[in-house]
Amino acid sequence: MASLPPITNNPDVRFLGRLLGDVIRAYGGEDLFKRIEYIRATSVDRHRGVAGADAIDPGLDRLTLDETIAFVRGFMLFSMLANLAEDRQGVAAEAGADVAHALERLGKHGIGRDAVLALLDDALLMPVLTAHPTEVRRKSMIDHRNRIAELMALRDGGVEETEDGDQVEEAIVRQIALLWQTRVLRRERLYVADEVETALSYLRDVFLPTLPALYARWERALGARPASFLRPGSWIGGDRDGNPYVTADSLRLALSRSAEAVLGYYLDAVHALGAELSISTEHATVDAGVEALAERSGDTAASRADEPFRRALSGIYARLAATYRALTGKAPPRPAALDGERYPDPAALREDLTALAHALTIGGNGPLASGGALGRLIRAVETFGFHLATLDMRQNSAVHERVVAELLKAGGVAEDYAALDEDARVALLRRELASPRPLTSPYAAYSEETASELAILHAAAEAHARYGRDCIRHYIVSMAQSVSDLLEVNLLLKEAGLYVPGAPPQAHVMAIPLFETIGDLEAAPEIMRAWFALPEVAAVASVRGHQEVMIGYSDSNKDGGYLTSTWQLSRGSTALRPVFEEAGVRMQLFHGRGGAVGRGGGSSFAAIQAQPPGTVQGRIRITEQGEVIAAKYGTRASATTNLEAMASATLLASLEPERLAPADYERFAAAMDTLSETAFRAYRGLVYETEGFRTFFRQMTPISEIAGLKIGSRPASRKKSDAIEDLRAIPWVFSWAQARVMLPGWYGVGQAIAAFEDKGLLREMASGWPLFAATLANMEMVLAKSDMGIAARYAALVEDRALGEAIFGRIRDGWQATQDGLLTVTRQTRLLEKHPALETSIRLRLPYIEPLNLLQIELLKRHRAGEEDARIGEGILLSINAIATALRNSG
């Protein structure tokens, strides 16, 4: 194997690392600094292959518990600052991942801007924020990190002082000192209200100002104004699957806080416009529309008599203030001087604003006609409405079945709904959906579960009336396995008036199946074909124009392994396409991706482009969760980069001609079928068919200790069971990452490549098929972050040594086979040889992760041996936090 190239540190890493060292010396003392520096230096030397470095004592065993905790905090902060430095230098950005480049690529195929604009007229790109718990850092830590990013940007521009008069470098040191003295761990469990506020901070502080600016950029690139196709979504406050703490009150809180934020933003923007648009009739001709708005405003101030734009904006502000009061129940932060009637909907507000914008163009195509702040506000109203982000509802199909069964029994319709077969269920549900008669009765006594489900549905109906129908459009059915699972949701929606019988019926909220396991993905086409065969469903879908299907990456991976999950998701999407075409309905796929590769993580730009032909069509939704939210949307700069990449990839996936000839696809697909079958057998054989594997997993990894992290309101398992099947995918993937195995992101692939005889075909696939290339690239990153030497130390935690050695031996052999196979297929001599920026990034942080792993292992031993010192538990949780921060996409 070729020797590794030297690492050239990012200058920001060196700068921030030096400042962190100064802070540790100042607040921890010279002795602590020297101990940490010695451990750091010896670990770096060892990873860089410095002669004799392996013989150096790293000094970990001489740390006291207090020093251990301080050391872990120091290495965690270095990793956080290194992440920041890399993000600033564009390490995470991908070449050509912007709309301008996408237009250039499409133009080379003869696809012009008119075709792009036509696609965008009915497009939807929606990143959906979820509360799935993989973000281990407190919001306070993220806020200090973001302030450092802002200060570093000032430093880049040669600015020496902040607006407040502080020296920029001193202000950076102060923020690092605050990080050093900020408590890392949450002491209390997170509640849904906390998750709502965290998501709101991203939506309010990043999405609200970023998206209108991005649209202005895209308008310049396209030469025309595109429709508002990119809008944010959220699950937080509406996702009840496995989370008993999400209630009707949670939904109301999420929507009211969002309305408060977006209306507050509009009020500030209108107030600022009032100061800006000082146009006088003495110097400009103003059209009748603005004059009418000015007259209706009630603003009779003599000082503004000749300023109709300001008077009109006074009226708009008064109406917005009334809207704010009506929707939030609170007085606006800056009261209106005038009385106004609330806006009935965002369209009415937009109409007033566009009247002002139209008036600015009357005098010719001058500087005032180019949009500016008014144009950005109009775009914001189109994009965010009065609800800020579309809130999805989600619940498990088993809950719907129980609730529907109870309602049918209480209503005297069916004594035992659960005992009916599928055909009988469908027939019964269709009869009930055709009837205007409600099932619920004020005289019936319902179970707590049924009462809670009905309450949240009625809260959704209230939200439609208050904020408009765009506030809730989607109802995700987890573990959907039949047509009746979807009809049950419509029946429940009907009880709240969100599904209205008729010819045709109306469905104000769309029932969406989530296909999660390998078996569910294989069955998806037949389920959707049967769904569209129902006349009332076809009628609703025809009016709406599209139907969404959600596909789950996490559980399909846990069920069948990385390669099989990836291929079945692609196969399933491809198989759904003709079903939708037969029904004459546009398909909209919702990709349930996590941060880790084992949960669908990796480059969104590459992933969207790798979607099967004809499955994007300008409409795609993607979950964003945990640490990925902070990484992608923590600042306006990072949000701009990532949203731009998603938009450009969507254009390319929708419009760019297919690169593969049909004959090549058939050859490649047949090869993937073979690879997938071998990988599936290897994965299932290890995880589900190896005696003692469950015990091995729970003793080797810190899965039990991870439960002590206060990182989400959701329980770690769906049931009170230690079975792998019942464990949520998040702690499953997170645990393997902590132990540096990363098993969900690669196991089985090595066996599959080794058994496949035609390696030349695999090389051809790697160079010519985006799906296979993206699959290998994501897996390569995971392999580079794993370490079988460190993993072996975790395996030694297994009490049954023979069991531990036997199972870990299979894992280690599988890892070696996977690495060898990948290098063969990609024609490399080492991992990441063709990706130098990523290689440097990972190699830079590996020396900082290894000591954290070694300390974590020792603390786990002491904890599991019964030592009761509270600092041991704190050290374990800090080490989990630090390792996750250093690995970045581990959850």
Side-chain angles (χ1 to χ4, degrees):
M1 182 175 290
S3 60
L4 296 175
I7 295 178
T8 302
N9 270 7
N10 179 318
D12 285 352
V13 173
R14 291 197 299 271
F15 172 71
L16 293 170
R18 174 175 61 80
L19 297 187
L20 175 60
D22 292 343
V23 166
I24 293 174
R25 183 188 285 112
Y27 289 96
E30 189 68 27
D31 287 346
L32 176 64
F33 171 77
K34 287 181 177 179
R35 284 182 182 271
I36 291 177
E37 179 58 21
Y38 178 74
I39 294 168
R40 185 200 69 81
T42 56
S43 185
V44 168
D45 285 348
R46 188 162 53 256
H47 276 266
R48 292 187 178 179
V50 175
D54 288 339
I56 299 174
D57 178 1
L60 289 171
D61 59 349
R62 291 193 296 278
L63 293 175
T64 66
L65 280 174
D66 286 335
E67 289 173 336
T68 294
I69 289 172
F71 167 82
V72 172
R73 288 171 54 225
F75 268 39
M76 183 206 67
L77 292 181
F78 174 82
S79 296
M80 178 185 282
L81 295 173
N83 294 346
L84 182 155
E86 290 180 355
D87 291 344
R88 281 174 29 78
Q89 296 297 328
V91 171
E94 296 166 88
D98 58 75
V99 168
H101 278 88
L103 294 175
E104 183 179 334
R105 275 175 61 175
L106 292 172
K108 291 177 180 178
H109 296 290
I111 301 169
R113 283 161 169 72
D114 288 345
V116 174
L117 288 165
L119 175 80
L120 296 181
D121 279 343
D122 190 33
L124 175 68
L125 174 57
M126 183 176 285
V128 181
L129 309 187
T130 82
H132 283 25
T134 61
E135 173 58 86
V136 293
R137 296 171 299 175
R138 292 177 63 214
K139 184 64 167 56
S140 299
M141 304 285 289
I142 296 172
D143 289 343
H144 290 308
R145 180 255 189 214
N146 290 345
R147 179 56 181 156
I148 293 170
E150 293 170 0
L151 292 166
M152 291 292 285
L154 293 178
R155 181 173 177 266
D156 291 344
V159 177
E160 295 184 357
E161 288 187 358
T162 68
E163 291 182 355
D164 299 324
D166 293 333
Q167 290 289 318
V168 169
E169 187 163 326
E170 290 180 3
I172 294 172
V173 173
R174 189 174 298 116
Q175 289 298 316
I176 294 174
L178 287 168
L179 277 172
W180 178 254
Q181 297 197 359
T182 296
R183 174 168 46 84
V184 175
L185 300 174
R186 298 183 181 93
R187 300 299 186 203
E188 303 295 332
R189 178 178 66 82
L190 271 180
Y191 293 92
V192 178
D194 301 316
E195 294 167 338
V196 166
E197 292 302 317
T198 298
L200 186 62
S201 68
Y202 293 105
L203 293 166
R204 177 190 59 231
D205 301 337
V206 178
F207 279 85
L208 259 174
T210 298
L211 271 177
L214 262 179
Y215 277 116
R217 177 191 296 182
W218 296 336
E219 183 172 345
R220 290 191 295 271
L222 286 162
R225 191 176 189 275
S228 296
F229 66 97
L230 200 166
R231 301 190 291 276
S234 175
W235 275 10
I236 305 170
D239 177 13
R240 311 184 310 287
D241 182 19
N243 193 342
Y245 307 109
V246 174
T247 64
D249 286 341
S250 303
L251 184 138
R252 292 189 184 97
L253 174 69
L255 290 169
S256 65
R257 292 290 290 127
S258 293
E260 186 177 338
V262 74
L263 289 169
Y265 177 86
Y266 296 161
L267 285 166
D268 288 343
V270 170
H271 179 74
L273 281 170
E276 178 182 327
L277 295 182
S278 55
I279 298 169
S280 168
T281 53
E282 294 180 9
H283 302 292
T285 300
V286 178
D287 78 349
V290 174
E291 290 285 7
L293 281 174
E295 288 303 311
R296 288 201 303 268
S297 71
D299 185 351
T300 58
S303 60
R304 291 188 290 276
D306 65 329
E307 298 174 340
F309 280 88
R310 280 182 164 169
R311 291 169 57 215
L313 285 163
S314 294
I316 291 172
Y317 189 93
R319 295 193 68 184
L320 262 177
T323 308
Y324 184 101
R325 189 177 296 105
L327 298 190
T328 69
K330 301 177 182 178
R334 184 187 294 109
L338 306 170
D339 291 329
E341 181 183 355
R342 63 166 286 187
Y343 282 109
D345 51 46
L349 169 60
R350 183 187 181 281
E351 183 179 350
D352 284 355
L353 294 173
T354 52
L356 301 183
H358 174 72
L360 292 176
T361 67
I362 288 177
N365 193 26
L368 294 181
S370 61
L374 177 57
R376 290 192 295 275
L377 177 57
I378 293 170
R379 179 66 78 174
V381 173
E382 289 180 5
T383 305
F384 302 106
F386 290 163
H387 60 283
L388 182 58
T390 298
L391 181 65
D392 287 3
M393 302 174 73
R394 184 170 81 129
Q395 183 55 283
N396 196 287
S397 61
V399 175
H400 300 144
E401 180 183 313
R402 291 194 296 269
V403 171
V404 166
E406 183 173 346
L407 292 179
L408 292 171
K409 183 176 181 179
V413 177
E415 184 64 24
D416 191 356
Y417 171 77
L420 300 177
D421 63 22
E422 175 65 6
D423 288 343
R425 289 188 183 194
V426 169
L428 187 155
L429 293 169
R430 291 183 66 197
R431 287 196 301 272
E432 288 299 318
L433 283 167
S435 169
R437 169 184 54 80
L439 274 176
T440 50
S441 166
Y443 307 108
Y446 298 112
S447 67
E448 183 179 347
E449 179 179 63
T450 295
S452 177
E453 291 298 308
L454 292 173
I456 202 165
L457 289 164
H458 284 289
E462 295 167 11
H464 271 209
R466 181 180 290 264
Y467 307 109
R469 290 179 182 171
D470 283 340
C471 71
I472 300 174
R473 284 292 192 185
H474 314 106
Y475 193 124
I476 313 296
V477 186
S478 299
M479 301 304 292
Q481 297 173 333
S482 65
V483 168
S484 63
D485 287 339
L486 300 176
L487 290 174
E488 286 165 2
V489 171
N490 280 345
L491 186 64
L492 295 174
L493 291 169
K494 174 173 168 275
E495 292 302 304
L498 296 173
Y499 181 96
V500 182
Q506 301 174 52
H508 302 316
V509 175
M510 176 170 38
I512 298 166
L514 167 51
F515 300 117
E516 299 178 79
T517 67
I518 300 300
D520 292 344
L521 289 166
E522 291 173 341
E526 286 309 309
I527 292 173
M528 295 311 297
R529 183 171 281 110
W531 176 244
F532 289 134
L534 303 179
E536 61 272 34
V537 168
V540 168
S542 176
V543 170
R544 186 189 299 118
H546 69 276
Q547 166 69 47
E548 182 168 286
V549 170
M550 185 173 184
I551 50 178
Y553 289 65
S554 303
D555 283 294
S556 62
N557 178 283
K558 184 162 68 75
D559 182 38
Y562 174 60
L563 190 67
T564 300
S565 170
T566 301
W567 181 228
Q568 288 299 328
L569 287 161
S570 180
R571 274 287 204 200
S573 302
T574 301
L576 283 168
R577 179 183 172 184
V579 174
F580 278 73
E581 289 175 347
E582 291 165 11
V585 177
R586 198 172 181 185
M587 180 168 67
Q588 177 173 299
L589 289 179
F590 186 8
H591 296 262
R593 291 160 51 98
V597 168
R599 298 184 54 240
S603 164
S604 295
F605 183 63
I608 294 172
Q609 288 187 87
Q611 293 306 305
T615 62
V616 177
Q617 304 174 66
R619 302 189 72 90
I620 187 169
R621 298 206 303 149
I622 302 173
T623 54
E624 305 280 28
Q625 49 195 263
E627 78 281 9
V628 171
I629 296 176
K632 293 176 70 170
Y633 308 113
T635 65
R636 288 187 60 180
S638 60
T640 296
T641 297
N642 285 286
L643 292 171
E644 179 95 57
M646 291 174 67
S648 59
T650 301
L651 293 181
L652 293 170
S654 302
L655 294 173
E656 195 170 36
E658 171 58 20
R659 283 178 266 178
L660 275 184
D664 287 335
Y665 176 79
E666 290 303 319
R667 289 190 303 124
F668 294 171
M672 276 294 278
D673 284 339
T674 301
L675 290 169
S676 175
E677 184 179 348
T678 306
F680 180 78
R681 287 199 306 267
Y683 176 85
R684 295 286 302 188
L686 175 72
V687 174
Y688 293 102
E689 297 166 13
T690 298
E691 186 175 352
F693 184 85
R694 183 188 310 178
T695 300
F696 169 86
F697 163 66
R698 292 192 173 273
Q699 292 183 1
M700 176 185 174
T701 73
I703 177 66
S704 300
E705 290 76 13
I706 285 171
L709 278 174
K710 309 295 193 298
I711 59 175
S713 63
R714 185 183 306 273
S717 289
R718 287 187 171 91
K719 303 175 184 176
K720 292 183 178 179
S721 159
D722 66 351
I724 303 297
E725 293 88 340
D726 295 329
L727 183 68
R728 288 192 176 278
I730 292 168
W732 165 254
V733 172
F734 197 82
S735 301
W736 287 116
Q738 287 286 314
R740 301 294 298 285
V741 179
M742 313 283 194
L743 182 138
W746 58 265
Y747 193 82
V749 182
Q751 294 93 321
I753 293 175
F756 196 87
E757 293 184 2
D758 190 351
K759 301 298 192 293
L761 175 57
L762 298 184
R763 292 190 187 100
E764 189 181 347
M765 292 162 61
S767 62
W769 191 15
L771 173 66
F772 197 56
T775 299
L776 294 181
N778 289 333
M779 187 178 73
E780 186 175 3
M781 177 185 64
V782 168
L783 291 172
K785 290 184 178 182
S786 59
D787 188 313
M788 289 300 106
I790 292 174
R793 294 174 178 257
Y794 280 92
L797 294 171
V798 178
E799 295 171 9
D800 185 335
R801 298 303 295 271
L803 175 71
E805 290 172 4
I807 294 179
F808 183 70
R810 291 171 63 184
I811 292 173
R812 183 176 51 228
D813 292 346
W815 185 93
Q816 190 64 52
T818 303
Q819 178 191 247
D820 293 346
L822 183 137
L823 295 179
T824 297
V825 171
T826 58
R827 295 185 176 94
Q828 297 180 105
T829 60
R830 66 176 189 276
L831 294 174
L832 300 177
E833 182 179 2
K834 296 179 180 179
H835 307 281
L838 181 57
E839 179 186 36
T840 297
S841 169
I842 293 176
R843 285 180 57 205
L844 171 69
R845 63 191 66 239
L846 288 180
Y848 296 85
I849 307 175
E850 179 180 295
L852 294 170
N853 285 122
L854 298 178
L855 283 173
Q856 185 183 88
I857 291 166
E858 292 306 310
L859 292 170
L860 287 171
K861 288 179 182 176
R862 295 175 66 174
H863 174 67
R864 293 175 182 182
E867 290 193 40
E868 296 180 353
D869 192 313
R871 291 172 296 180
I872 294 175
E874 182 178 4
I876 291 171
L877 297 182
L878 279 171
S879 70
I880 292 171
N881 191 304
I883 292 168
T885 300
L887 290 172
R888 303 206 77 171
N889 54 347
S890 63

